[in-house]
């Protein structure tokens, strides 16, 4: 009789095959999701070639030109004030100086950001332009208007070099003098 009786625990030892399949699928999905998340994090956090490392190299930010879009002529104007320029003028009767503070009207606020990015180049070009003038040329209203036009052309040439055509307006709409002193 003892041989005919089977222990009751024999059938319990073998786990069902369905539980192993479910566990394997859950682990595979978890590994897949974590792998995709890791790749996405790596791509977002990696250093781009333009950025310098911490070994003393300087990071260079490339400024993309502002794309032309439709300008709403009814929108309020956007003005950017520039720091004062003080230059020696071409000597006529001894040393003469020009102190000039100006503001520029731009298409949109994004152009203002681009203007700030190019400020060292703009200040250099405008300083060279201003220092090449004579006081007698700048005294008259016509001389000041001509200077404003030259400044606008110079700035548009730096900010939008491809748009130098005569039929196309640049990002700078107008140049306004807020202070103009010749000594």
């Amino acid at each position: 009789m003892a041989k005919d009786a089977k222990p009751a625990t024999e059938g319990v030892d073998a786990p069902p095959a369905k539980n192993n399949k479910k566990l394997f699928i859950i682990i595979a999905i978890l590994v897949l999701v974590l792998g995709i998340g890791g790749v996405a994090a790596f791509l977002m956090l990696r250093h781009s070639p333009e950025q310098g490392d911490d070994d003393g190299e300087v990071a260079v930010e490339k400024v993309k030109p502002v794309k032309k879009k439709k300008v709403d002529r009814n929108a309020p104007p956007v003005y950017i004030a520039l720091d004062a320029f003080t230059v020696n003028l071409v000597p006529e009767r001894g040393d003469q100086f020009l102190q000039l503070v100006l503001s520029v009207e731009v298409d949109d606020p994004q152009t203002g950001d681009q203007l700030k990015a190019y400020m060292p180049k703009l200040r250099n070009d405008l300083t060279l332009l201003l220092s090449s003038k004579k006081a007698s040329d700048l005294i008259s209203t016509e001389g000041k208007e001509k200077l404003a036009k030259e400044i606008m052309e110079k700035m548009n040439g730096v900010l939008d070099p491809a748009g130098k055509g005569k039929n196309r307006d640049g990002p700078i709409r107008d140049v306004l003098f807020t202070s103009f002193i010749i000594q």
Side-chain angles (χ1 to χ4, degrees):
M1 256 188 164
K3 290 183 182 180
D4 291 339
K6 293 184 179 178
T9 60
E10 232 178 85
V12 177
D13 287 341
K18 289 184 180 180
N19 286 341
N20 284 341
K21 282 186 179 180
K22 285 182 184 178
L23 183 62
F24 180 74
I25 291 173
I26 290 173
I27 290 173
I29 290 174
L30 185 64
V31 168
L32 183 65
V33 169
L34 289 175
I36 290 172
V39 169
F42 172 76
L43 292 175
M44 287 194 290
L45 297 176
R46 72 177 179 170
H47 287 285
S48 63
E50 293 90 19
Q51 294 177 343
D53 294 330
D54 292 330
D55 59 357
E57 293 181 19
V58 177
V60 177
E61 180 181 337
K62 292 186 179 183
V63 178
K64 296 178 182 177
V66 176
K67 294 180 181 178
K68 272 295 198 193
K69 57 183 176 181
K70 292 183 181 180
V71 177
D72 183 13
R73 297 292 177 190
N74 295 328
V78 177
Y79 295 103
I80 306 294
L82 302 180
D83 292 335
F85 290 89
T86 304
V87 296
N88 294 333
L89 295 173
V90 174
E92 292 178 311
R93 299 170 282 169
D95 290 338
Q96 290 184 303
F97 304 96
L98 170 66
Q99 183 180 24
L100 177 69
V101 180
L102 55 97
S103 295
V104 293
E105 181 182 354
V106 296
D107 286 343
D108 54 18
Q110 289 80 20
T111 304
D113 294 338
Q114 184 185 19
L115 184 81
K116 291 173 186 168
Y118 283 99
M119 192 54 67
K121 172 86 171 126
L122 290 170
R123 286 195 63 82
N124 176 64
D125 290 356
L126 293 182
T127 300
L128 293 175
L129 174 69
L130 295 171
S131 64
S132 69
K133 300 295 179 182
K134 293 181 182 179
S136 60
D137 295 337
L138 302 176
I139 294 287
S140 67
T141 303
E142 294 83 21
K144 291 179 177 101
E145 290 172 354
K146 182 180 175 188
L147 178 63
K149 184 178 178 185
E150 289 176 356
I151 290 172
M152 185 171 65
E153 289 172 358
K154 184 73 76 173
M155 292 180 81
N156 282 332
V158 170
L159 295 175
D160 189 20
K164 288 186 178 179
K166 293 181 181 178
N167 296 333
R168 184 171 175 205
D169 294 332
I172 304 295
R173 289 185 188 171
D174 199 7
V175 174
L176 308 167
F177 298 124
T178 54
S179 176
F180 198 100
I181 300 171
I182 298 176
Q183 292 182 341

